[in-house]
């Protein structure tokens, strides 16, 4: 009964030109083997800096590239053989450097999409080496200063943020780039610090994508926070009983978490929607979406 609402919510999330994406493992019961096996929750959310909020989860049996390709739409088979006639999502995908996103961001197939990589992930590579590397310590200091300046842009619109970044943080990024290349030439190949530096340098354009678009956030921490309920679930409900159960959980969690993002009390939202759905017209389904829902009069 909630599937049409879920599909409408998915369209709403994908109407945003900036979308976050991440994935996390969950356990699913495997009755034939008498144990559980690994499945995945893929999470997508409207850009953190967008005025409207929404997150949607998709329960999938794996972590392969076919899942984001299918979710974002417009998937193509061989030349002249489209396998999905749904319009392809257009915009900037904020994600980490996991290769599973590469197919969905292939500019030869989807020229209307670009990647914005997560600065927090790049920082973590150095954070893991603190205490053993002075280079890592200096990298953390430089990135920390960029975050400090970025924090001063809270509450401004995209155009103002872009102008502020151009004036205040782009010079810091240029200095960081020069310094990283210099340090890379001083450390041996194959070492951990070389790997941390290469993680940033090899993805510099995507890592600094936010400097070109004020609507793009500096990192992907927003979607990681939206995945936390699933991480908590791994300790609470432990596993999904089946693929269907996982899909149903993803539908409910998408709506509940989005209701929370929009300032609603989750149970009040869910109870009202479940009561109204059986008689609600599909043509007016958008009225029940979390960002449009209004609490009934007492």
């Amino acid at each position: 009964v909630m599937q049409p609402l879920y599909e409408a919510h998915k369209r709403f999330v994908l109407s945003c030109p900036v979308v976050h994406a991440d994935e996390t493992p969950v356990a699913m019961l495997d009755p034939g083997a008498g144990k559980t096996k690994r499945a995945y929750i893929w999470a997508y959310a409207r850009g953190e800096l967008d005025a409207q909020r929404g997150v949607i989860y998709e329960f999938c049996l794996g972590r392969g590239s076919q899942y984001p390709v299918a979710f974002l739409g417009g998937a193509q088979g061989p030349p002249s053989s489209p396998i999905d006639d749904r319009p392809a999502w257009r915009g900037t995908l904020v994600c980490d450097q996991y290769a599973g996103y590469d197919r969905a961001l292939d500019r030869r197939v989807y020229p209307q999409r670009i990647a914005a990589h997560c600065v927090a992930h790049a920082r973590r590579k150095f954070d893991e080496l603190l205490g053993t590397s002075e280079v890592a310590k200096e990298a953390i200091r430089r990135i920390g200063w960029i975050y400090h300046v970025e924090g001063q842009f809270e509450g401004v619109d995209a155009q103002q943020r872009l102008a502020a970044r151009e004036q205040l943080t782009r010079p810091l990024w240029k200095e960081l780039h020069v310094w990283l290349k210099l340090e890379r030439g001083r450390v041996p190949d194959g070492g951990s610090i070389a790997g941390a530096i290469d993680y940033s340098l090899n993805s510099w354009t995507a890592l600094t994508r936010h400097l070109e678009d004020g609507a793009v956030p500096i990192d992907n921490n927003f979607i990681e926070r939206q995945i936390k309920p699933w991480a908590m679930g791994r300790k609470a409900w432990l596993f999904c009983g089946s693929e269907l159960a996982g899909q149903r959980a993803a539908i409910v969690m998408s709506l509940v978490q989005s209701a929370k993002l929009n300032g609603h009390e989750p149970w009040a939202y869910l109870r009202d929607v479940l009561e109204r759905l059986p008689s609600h017209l599909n043509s007016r389904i958008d009225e029940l979406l979390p960002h449009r829902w209004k609490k009934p009069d007492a």
Side-chain angles (χ1 to χ4, degrees):
V1 68
M2 297 182 75
Q3 187 68 37
L5 186 60
Y6 176 80
E7 293 298 330
H9 185 56
K10 176 179 177 179
R11 291 192 294 272
F12 165 66
V13 170
L14 291 181
S15 69
C16 188
V18 177
V19 168
H20 295 266
D22 201 5
E23 76 291 330
T24 192
V26 292
M28 183 181 75
L29 194 63
D30 187 6
K35 56 183 180 181
T36 61
K37 60 183 178 180
R38 177 171 288 193
Y40 282 87
I41 287 294
W42 289 76
Y44 305 86
R46 293 175 68 92
E48 179 181 13
L49 302 175
D50 192 79
Q52 295 181 306
R53 294 295 178 91
V55 60
I56 192 161
Y57 307 111
E58 186 175 43
F59 183 86
C60 300
L61 295 180
R63 198 188 179 207
S65 60
Q66 68 269 32
Y67 298 109
V69 165
F71 186 89
L72 296 175
Q76 297 289 316
S80 303
S81 302
I83 60 174
D84 185 354
D85 58 3
R86 183 160 48 93
W89 171 76
R90 299 167 174 262
T92 301
L93 190 70
V94 186
C95 57
D96 57 30
Q97 295 185 34
Y98 170 49
Y101 296 105
D102 291 351
R103 269 186 60 202
L105 291 166
D106 188 339
R107 297 301 300 275
R108 297 167 298 181
V109 181
Y110 309 107
Q112 72 279 20
R113 296 178 190 164
I114 52 177
H117 285 163
C118 175
V119 176
H121 275 77
R123 183 191 181 280
R124 285 173 203 163
K125 297 296 181 181
F126 295 108
D127 191 56
E128 293 167 359
L129 302 174
L130 278 180
T132 62
S133 169
E134 288 299 315
V135 174
K137 183 177 180 180
E138 176 62 15
I140 290 293
R141 187 192 70 81
R142 289 172 178 264
I143 295 173
W145 183 245
I146 290 173
Y147 265 94
H148 172 74
V149 178
E150 182 76 20
Q152 299 176 24
F153 310 151
E154 186 175 354
V156 304
D157 63 31
Q159 187 174 357
Q160 292 171 321
R161 185 178 297 105
L162 182 61
R165 284 171 172 171
E166 184 67 28
Q167 179 182 359
L168 300 175
T169 58
R170 186 182 288 275
L172 298 176
W173 279 104
K174 287 182 178 179
E175 291 176 9
L176 178 60
H177 195 212
V178 171
W179 178 79
L180 284 174
K181 289 194 292 185
L182 179 63
E183 293 299 328
R184 182 61 182 88
R186 293 174 174 172
V187 300
D189 295 341
S192 55
I193 191 61
I197 294 174
D198 286 344
Y199 186 88
S200 292
L201 290 181
N202 292 343
S203 184
W204 195 258
T205 299
L207 199 65
T208 57
R209 184 74 64 194
H210 63 283
L211 297 178
E212 312 300 330
D213 185 347
V216 175
I218 192 173
D219 58 37
N220 208 24
N221 287 350
F222 178 71
I223 194 68
E224 292 189 4
R225 293 194 295 273
Q226 309 316 311
I227 281 181
K228 279 188 177 181
W230 292 96
M232 294 171 63
R234 287 197 290 262
K235 296 183 178 180
W237 40 258
L238 302 180
F239 57 82
C240 296
S242 65
E243 182 178 0
L244 180 58
Q247 292 168 347
R248 287 172 173 170
I251 290 173
V252 174
M253 291 278 280
S254 297
L255 298 171
V256 166
Q257 190 66 12
S258 294
K260 291 169 65 177
L261 283 175
N262 284 278
H264 305 314
E265 199 283 310
W267 174 236
Y269 168 76
L270 197 59
R271 180 176 57 188
D272 180 64
V273 166
L274 286 173
E275 288 175 351
R276 293 166 61 182
L277 267 176
S279 59
H280 199 81
L281 294 174
N282 274 349
S283 60
R284 296 173 55 189
I285 198 73
D286 285 6
E287 295 174 2
L288 302 182
L289 292 175
H291 72 288
R292 296 189 61 184
W293 178 80
K294 296 186 184 301
K295 187 175 181 179
D297 295 333

